[in-house]
Amino acid sequence: MSYPFQVRTREEYDAAYKKSVEDPEGFWADVADTFVWKKRWDKTLEWNFTGPDVKWFAGGKLNITENCLDRHLATRGNEPAIIWEPNDPEEHHHIFTYKALHHKVMQFANVLKNNGVKKGDRVCIYMGMVPELAIAVLACARIGAIHSVIFGGFSAQSIADRLQDAQAEYVVTCDGAYRGNKDIPLKSVIDDALVQCRFVKRVVVLTRTRIPVSMLKGRDVWWEDEIKKVETMGNPDCPAEEMDAEDPLFILYTSGSTGKPKGVVHTCGGYMVYTTYSFVNVFQYKPDDIHFCTADIGWITGHSYIVYGPLCAGATSLIFEGVPTWPDAGRFWSIVDKYKVNILYTAPTAIRSLMSFGTGPVNAHSLESLRVLGTVGEPINEEAWHWYDEHIGKGRCPIVDTWWQTETGGTMISNLAGVTPSKPSYATLPLPGIQPVLVDEQGNELQGNGVTGNLCIKFPWPSIIRTTWGDHERCRTNYFATYPGMYFTGDGCLRDEEGFYRITGRVDDVLNVSGHRIGTAEVENAINMHAGVIESAVVGYPHDIKGQGIYAYVIYDGTHHDPALTRQDIAQTVGRIIGPIARPDKVQFVPGLPKTRSGKIMRRILRKIAEGETENLGDTSTLLDPGVVEEIKKGKV
Ligand code: WT7
């Protein structure tokens, strides 16, 4: 495959950027023309950010799986599409060629159809990192069903909330999942969720760990049995459903600063174009490169850069079932050597965690196949950047620091490997087609270099969020109302003297814990459900490995059996309501919370105390009861 839209030099980058601003429609039409469309679009872009109402490639007809699979069959049919490395290094790995993956996707698409799934229906996928997860995702796309993948670390309650919000009548899951030395009982979690979701008609269960599971007559079926049924029907084909460019492709739930997680909606045409374009450009993908993205497919990174971007580009994408530290802290490095991985894309959290084991586990491996390294999900500190550069990249691999969000669909600001310069802790420059701006609190655009402000994007790109499922107004108020006429990211950002962008972190009440996005309000609601809790306030604090840890201040009026145990009970409640990833790291019992006279919690003060600051807490004169601050300082955990 060749990629006519791949920018290969700094001069080409500058020229592409200029063209993308002067003639965005011409720029994106050229990129989109390299894909397979069942019918070409009528109008490249129609948009306003007041609705918001954004349509890319309107009137175009396509199916993304024809671009991920069918179009590669003639040229790359026998090349590996997916390499799957199991949790246990002793277990056999699997390689799926494009032909094999195409066949499996059509088979499972027929299973979905046999079970009543139709175009536009929502299918919830709750699985471990097995190849069938990618197959299930693509099978949905094949028949035009809207997938909603839920990360395996979410609780039954979180699943029930998402199933209800999406009105998903179909679920695909596994009996269990292997992660390191743990076996996670996924089907059992689904069973708990479905007690509240009687509208679910069918649950397809893949065998993985073969732990005992309950199978409800009339509702639950085994993946393997259903495959056998479609095999005996003879015709393995499943034609790709004709989709409108603006038909929804998937929903992915993500946390905001208020309320329950919202369902970010991406559509077929624009998402396909942008994920492929950004994949090829950021990593400077070359045919036959082995790409290893360590994210979970339950997050947007896995959707865009394990499944859709790489497969549309005809790449080889490695899926790893396990965790970086099991059976030992050299697992990533042994995978790199085993498959001669060329591109490694991971999170700063993973790098910091592996750093803590020293260079021993690294030096046992050669890593000579590596050509490009990437990071995503949170700001990378300079120390981790240099360690990654020196010990993993051996000083010869460019590191791409990719800034983006669930809502943006693909990477927005990043250096292009070996093409534009890198700078430790900087995402650096926008991709051609992306127009970032920094604004002050009043929404004035900050001109020139050497400025810090809130990061907005002032022109649409093909994979911009279209809506939040079932609640368009929420999409408007969350992203398009703070600064009218712009998409607001929620991130703070510096543009330095050279014009390079450095993301400084969220400016709203959203935490980033190990690269996972968690709303403070969501955690507070969960804590407040614990018996005896009167009120709580949650803030982030710097954590050496996770980036941010969760610090909870709790007013508690229940029976203290033992404060240490009660703290654990509270964490347990949060684990039940949201999932283990949202469990607070620290819980402090407080007599009151610092509030203004109007009753607003002053989080700024709580953040400072959680950071260990005792002196400079800023202006406390507007507090209703300044005395409470002293009490909180004394009780810090
Ligand atoms: C938030 C989005 C993008 C996929 C994974 C996370 C933070 C993301 C970077 C980066 C600094 C980053 C931002 C953003 N973030 N990448 N390279 N440098 N911060 O997706 O869960 O939607 O979270 O992650 O704060 O807003 P997400």
Side-chain angles (χ1 to χ4, degrees):
M1 254 200 98
S2 72
Y3 312 108
F5 49 80
Q6 192 168 24
V7 158
R8 290 163 195 277
T9 61
R10 177 68 207 234
E11 293 67 39
E12 282 179 22
Y13 168 83
D14 290 334
Y17 195 86
K18 189 161 178 284
K19 156 110 181 164
S20 78
V21 174
E22 287 170 0
D23 176 19
E25 297 190 33
F27 178 84
W28 288 113
D30 286 348
V31 179
D33 267 327
T34 66
F35 292 79
V36 175
W37 297 82
K38 287 176 184 284
K39 173 186 167 280
R40 200 175 183 272
W41 57 94
D42 304 316
K43 188 144 181 13
T44 305
L45 173 64
E46 285 169 80
W47 72 288
N48 70 70
F49 276 174
T50 44
D53 185 12
V54 180
K55 289 190 178 73
W56 279 97
F57 315 115
K61 303 284 180 194
L62 77 154
N63 187 292
I64 195 168
T65 69
E66 284 189 328
N67 286 273
C68 288
L69 302 169
D70 304 59
R71 75 158 157 167
H72 304 311
L73 292 180
T75 48
R76 300 187 60 78
N78 296 320
E79 300 299 322
I82 288 177
I83 299 173
W84 178 69
E85 167 74 5
N87 181 58
D88 182 348
E90 304 291 314
E91 191 184 332
H92 210 280
H93 69 274
H94 284 281
I95 294 179
F96 297 81
T97 62
Y98 272 94
K99 262 190 202 147
L101 184 63
H102 179 251
H103 177 70
K104 296 256 176 209
V105 168
M106 291 200 299
Q107 255 186 346
F108 194 66
N110 282 330
V111 165
L112 292 174
K113 276 197 200 165
N114 266 353
N115 281 278
V117 182
K118 291 188 196 61
K119 178 176 182 173
D121 286 346
R122 276 77 58 212
V123 178
C124 160
I125 304 178
Y126 185 69
M127 299 172 89
M129 284 284 281
V130 286
E132 288 82 0
L133 167 51
I135 291 167
V137 161
L138 292 165
C140 288
R142 188 75 174 179
I143 63 171
I146 302 169
H147 57 78
S148 175
V149 185
I150 302 179
F151 174 61
F154 281 112
S155 69
Q157 182 62 53
S158 293
I159 296 167
D161 290 344
R162 287 160 173 75
L163 286 169
Q164 248 141 24
D165 187 80
Q167 284 297 303
E169 294 176 332
Y170 304 92
V171 175
V172 183
T173 189
C174 303
D175 48 0
Y178 293 126
R179 276 177 67 79
N181 56 11
K182 295 200 194 90
D183 296 0
I184 300 154
L186 297 181
K187 171 63 164 65
S188 155
V189 179
I190 288 289
D191 289 338
D192 288 345
L194 295 195
V195 171
Q196 298 178 49
C197 302
R198 297 300 176 86
F199 52 83
V200 170
K201 293 182 185 154
R202 189 70 84 234
V203 182
V204 182
V205 186
L206 176 82
T207 306
R208 174 63 185 129
T209 60
R210 204 51 194 101
I211 45 164
V213 292
S214 84
M215 294 291 285
L216 215 63
K217 191 185 293 169
R219 189 194 70 185
D220 301 347
V221 295
W222 290 106
W223 175 298
E224 294 78 3
D225 293 348
E226 297 303 299
I227 293 285
K228 280 206 196 93
K229 278 190 211 162
V230 299
E231 271 175 351
T232 55
M233 284 161 57
N235 182 5
D237 283 352
C238 177
E241 186 74 35
E242 181 170 291
M243 305 297 287
D244 194 276
E246 283 298 335
D247 279 339
L249 174 63
F250 65 85
I251 307 171
L252 187 57
Y253 284 85
T254 191
S255 295
S257 51
T258 55
K260 294 219 160 136
K262 48 194 177 253
V264 172
V265 175
H266 283 290
T267 56
C268 297
Y271 179 81
M272 168 182 77
V273 168
Y274 195 79
T275 52
T276 313
Y277 162 86
S278 54
F279 170 72
V280 163
N281 275 302
V282 168
F283 300 110
Q284 289 293 301
Y285 189 81
K286 293 200 315 295
D288 301 326
D289 276 351
I290 312 282
H291 173 74
F292 178 19
C293 168
T294 72
D296 194 288
I297 297 178
W299 308 108
I300 190 71
T301 309
H303 283 60
S304 301
Y305 300 120
I306 295 178
V307 181
Y308 287 114
L311 295 180
C312 279
T316 301
S317 184
L318 198 155
I319 300 181
F320 172 41
E321 184 181 34
V323 298
T325 49
W326 193 86
D328 59 58
R331 189 66 194 277
F332 277 0
W333 323 131
S334 76
I335 294 174
V336 167
D337 280 3
K338 180 171 176 186
Y339 301 104
K340 307 220 175 334
V341 168
N342 306 107
I343 305 170
L344 174 68
Y345 190 34
T346 194
T349 283
I351 298 168
R352 287 190 298 264
S353 148
L354 294 172
M355 259 171 89
S356 72
F357 292 88
T359 50
V362 181
N363 293 339
H365 302 90
S366 106
L367 305 184
E368 64 188 359
S369 57
L370 287 174
R371 190 173 57 76
V372 174
L373 302 177
T375 75
V376 61
E378 46 177 326
I380 181 162
N381 49 310
E382 290 203 33
E383 199 195 348
W385 194 98
H386 287 294
W387 190 86
Y388 200 30
D389 179 41
E390 192 178 322
H391 298 290
I392 308 307
K394 316 289 183 195
R396 54 173 180 76
C397 302
I399 298 179
V400 289
D401 178 348
T402 64
W403 173 83
W404 55 295
Q405 310 179 297
T406 304
E407 295 85 345
T408 70
T411 296
M412 304 284 282
I413 304 182
S414 172
N415 49 316
L416 310 183
V419 171
T420 59
S422 62
K423 183 166 180 170
S425 82
Y426 281 73
T428 72
L429 298 173
L431 268 66
I434 304 305
Q435 299 186 36
V437 286
L438 300 184
V439 299
D440 65 16
E441 294 293 329
Q442 287 73 44
N444 303 308
E445 186 173 336
L446 302 168
Q447 305 286 346
N449 290 338
V451 289
T452 302
N454 288 346
L455 178 62
C456 295
I457 315 288
K458 70 173 173 193
F459 195 86
W461 63 98
S463 59
I464 187 175
I465 178 176
R466 296 305 196 276
T467 189
T468 44
W469 184 261
D471 191 352
H472 193 61
E473 177 58 11
R474 193 164 175 206
C475 176
R476 191 186 70 79
T477 51
N478 254 288
Y479 307 106
F480 298 91
T482 317
Y483 304 111
M486 293 183 219
Y487 167 82
F488 175 42
T489 65
D491 280 314
C493 185
L494 159 77
R495 184 166 56 224
D496 75 0
E497 295 300 341
E498 297 175 279
F500 290 140
Y501 290 84
R502 177 176 200 259
I503 311 301
T504 50
R506 302 287 304 196
V507 295
D508 52 11
D509 291 321
V510 170
L511 305 182
N512 192 326
V513 180
S514 302
H516 300 156
R517 192 159 147 185
I518 297 166
T520 50
E522 229 185 307
V523 182
E524 288 163 6
N525 288 338
I527 293 175
N528 296 348
M529 288 173 78
H530 187 78
V533 170
I534 308 283
E535 200 183 355
S536 63
V538 164
V539 298
Y541 72 96
H543 187 288
D544 283 347
I545 304 235
K546 299 183 188 181
Q548 271 188 313
I550 304 180
Y551 197 113
Y553 299 91
V554 176
I555 308 177
Y556 182 72
D557 188 30
T559 324
H560 264 311
H561 305 291
D562 167 347
L565 274 179
T566 307
R567 283 195 192 96
Q568 288 177 26
D569 292 344
I570 288 173
Q572 188 71 9
T573 298
V574 176
R576 270 257 174 246
I577 306 290
I578 306 176
I581 54 170
R583 286 170 71 110
D585 298 276
K586 294 186 178 180
V587 175
Q588 178 184 347
F589 296 113
V590 294
L593 291 166
K595 289 190 177 171
T596 61
R597 285 182 191 84
S598 59
K600 206 171 145 350
I601 297 174
M602 292 189 72
R603 291 164 181 285
R604 175 174 54 79
I605 295 177
L606 293 175
R607 267 195 291 267
K608 288 214 160 155
I609 298 176
E611 279 165 21
E613 177 73 61
T614 49
E615 299 303 317
N616 304 314
L617 297 182
D619 183 12
T620 54
S621 63
T622 56
L623 282 181
L624 188 62
D625 174 14
V628 81
V629 174
E630 290 310 311
E631 293 289 321
I632 295 176
K633 279 202 285 192
K634 268 190 250 155
K636 186 174 179 310
V637 289

